[in-house]
C-alpha cells in the first residue's frame, strides 16, 4: 500500500503542470500516511529545475552506491533526471525495505522484478506504475491462486460459530501481535495457509477487511472454544476433529 501510493505520487510529480518536480530532500520522514495515501509533508526542497548540459557526459546521476549515465536533450537539459532521481530514492528508501516482505509467494517474483528494474533505473515512473497496478490486480482478483490443489474439502465448516479470541501461535506477517491473522482471497486460500502451518488446526474468516477489500482470517491451534456468532464460519481440519463430537 505504501509503495503503490508512493509511485502514484511520483507519477504526479513527473507529470505535474509545473513540469517534472524533484524532491531534493527525499527521506522517509518527509512523508506521512493520510487515509491510506502517502503525502509529502514538506515541499520546501522541491524543484522543477533540471540539470543543464552540453553533452551526455554532463548528465551523470550520482548516488552513494551507484551512478547512472543519462542523455543530454536537444534543449540542453539532462533528460528525465528529476523523475529518475525520485524513482531511485523511492527504491533505496522504500522498495528495498518493503517489497520483499509480506506478499503471497506467487507474487514475490513480480515484486522482485519491480525492485530490480527500479534499482537499475530500467523502469521509468510510467512503467513502474503499470507494474504495481498489475500486481495489485492479481492480488485483489485472486488470479495468482490459479492451478492450486483444492484443500478446503479437508475441512469441516461450522456456520454460526467463531473461536474465542485469545493469544495463540504467531505467524508472519500477522495483522495481530496476539496470534496469526492474515489477509486471504478466499476460504480456499485460507485452507492452503492452514495446511502449510504445523500448528494450525482451524481458522475463521472474519468480517474485517484490508485496504484492498480482502477479508482477514484468524488461524488457530485448536477449535474447542466455540461461541455463537451468526456472521462467522469456523473451518476445522477433518484430521483434528476425528474422534471428537461436533
Amino acid at each position: 500500500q505504501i509503495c503503490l501510493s508512493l509511485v502514484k505520487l511520483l507519477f504526479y510529480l513527473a507529470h505535474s503542470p509545473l513540469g517534472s518536480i524533484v524532491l531534493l530532500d527525499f527521506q522517509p520522514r518527509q512523508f506521512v500516511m493520510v487515509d491510506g495515501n502517502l503525502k509529502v509533508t514538506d515541499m520546501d526542497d522541491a524543484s522543477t529545475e533540471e540539470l543543464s548540459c552540453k553533452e551526455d557526459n554532463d548528465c551523470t546521476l550520482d548516488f552513494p552506491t551507484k551512478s547512472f549515465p543519462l542523455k543530454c536533450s536537444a534543449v540542453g537539459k539532462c533528460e528525465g533526471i528529476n523523475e529518475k532521481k525520485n524513482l531511485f530514492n523511492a527504491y533505496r528508501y522504500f522498495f528495498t525495505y518493503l517489497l520483499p516482505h509480506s506478499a503471497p509467494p506467487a507474487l514475490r517474483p513480480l515484486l522482485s522484478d519491480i525492485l530490480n528494474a527500479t534499482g537499475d533505473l530500467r523502469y521509468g515512473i510510467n512503467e513502474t506504475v503499470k507494474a504495481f497496478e498489475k500486481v495489485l490486480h492479481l492480488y485483489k482478483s485472486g488470479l495468482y491462486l490459479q492451478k492450486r490443489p483444492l484443500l478446503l474439502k479437508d475441512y469441516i465448516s461450522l456456520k454460526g460459530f467463531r473461536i474465542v479470541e485469545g493469544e495463540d501461535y504467531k505467524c508472519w506477517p500477522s495483522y495481530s501481535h496476539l496470534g496469526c491473522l492474515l489477509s486471504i482471497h478466499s476460504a480456499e486460500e485460507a485452507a492452503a495457509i492452514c495446511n502449510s502451518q504445523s500448528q494450525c488446526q482451524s481458522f475463521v474468516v472474519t468480517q474485517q477487511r484490508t485496504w484492498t477489500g480482502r477479508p482477514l482470517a484468524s488461524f488457530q491451534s485448536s477449535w474447542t472454544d466455540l461461541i455463537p456468532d451468526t456472521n462467522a464460519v469456523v473451518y476445522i481440519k477433518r484430521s483434528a476433529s476425528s474422534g471428537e463430537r461436533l
Side-chain angles (χ1 to χ4, degrees):
Q1 182 180 15
I2 293 171
C3 292
L4 176 64
S5 187
L6 177 58
V7 297
K8 287 182 176 179
L9 172 62
L10 297 188
F11 179 86
Y12 173 78
L13 294 179
H15 301 285
S16 85
L18 299 175
S20 184
I21 298 174
V22 63
L23 301 176
L24 299 175
D25 186 19
F26 198 115
Q27 300 282 341
R29 66 173 180 267
Q30 299 284 21
F31 299 89
V32 64
M33 291 292 284
V34 180
D35 297 328
N37 294 306
L38 208 66
K39 306 284 186 181
V40 183
T41 60
D42 184 2
M43 292 293 289
D44 288 347
D45 293 311
S47 172
T48 57
E49 290 296 318
E50 291 195 308
L51 187 64
S52 298
C53 57
K54 292 182 179 179
E55 55 185 29
D56 290 350
N57 288 339
D58 298 329
C59 293
T60 301
L61 183 56
D62 289 315
F63 292 96
T65 58
K66 278 189 176 181
S67 295
F68 299 96
L70 304 181
K71 297 289 185 181
C72 183
S73 71
V75 295
K77 297 289 182 181
C78 293
E79 210 167 81
I81 192 168
N82 288 352
E83 173 187 329
K84 293 180 186 296
K85 188 170 185 178
N86 283 342
L87 192 54
F88 190 79
N89 278 327
Y91 159 80
R92 65 179 182 143
Y93 287 119
F94 288 89
F95 298 171
T96 52
Y97 298 105
L98 300 177
L99 286 188
H101 312 292
S102 305
L107 293 177
R108 288 174 194 166
L110 296 178
L111 293 176
S112 181
D113 288 345
I114 294 174
L115 193 64
N116 293 332
T118 53
D120 295 333
L121 286 184
R122 287 184 284 109
Y123 280 1
I125 190 60
N126 294 358
E127 294 87 353
T128 305
V129 168
K130 287 178 182 177
F132 268 103
E133 287 178 342
K134 177 184 177 181
V135 174
L136 180 63
H137 171 68
L138 294 172
Y139 184 61
K140 291 174 71 173
S141 65
L143 289 172
Y144 67 94
L145 295 169
Q146 289 182 344
K147 298 179 181 177
R148 281 191 170 194
L150 300 177
L151 301 172
L152 198 58
K153 64 183 186 320
D154 298 328
Y155 289 76
I156 296 168
S157 63
L158 290 178
K159 295 182 179 179
F161 291 93
R162 63 180 170 84
I163 299 171
V164 176
E165 293 181 9
E167 191 164 348
D168 206 322
Y169 77 90
K170 315 279 193 304
C171 67
W172 174 261
S174 178
Y175 282 79
S176 169
H177 67 281
L178 296 176
C180 187
L181 186 67
L182 300 175
S183 161
I184 59 166
H185 177 260
S186 63
E188 186 63 55
E189 183 180 17
I193 293 171
C194 190
N195 274 27
S196 71
Q197 299 173 346
S198 60
Q199 307 100 312
C200 186
Q201 297 297 316
S202 63
F203 63 88
V204 180
V205 179
T206 75
Q207 298 298 304
Q208 294 174 269
R209 300 274 170 170
T210 69
W211 66 281
T212 59
R214 287 163 55 100
L216 294 178
S218 176
F219 298 86
Q220 306 282 340
S221 60
S222 67
W223 59 270
T224 52
D225 296 327
L226 299 178
I227 57 175
D229 186 336
T230 56
N231 297 317
V233 182
V234 178
Y235 295 86
I236 304 165
K237 278 184 179 177
R238 291 184 183 275
S239 57
S241 64
S242 60
E244 300 284 348
R245 292 174 64 90
L246 292 180

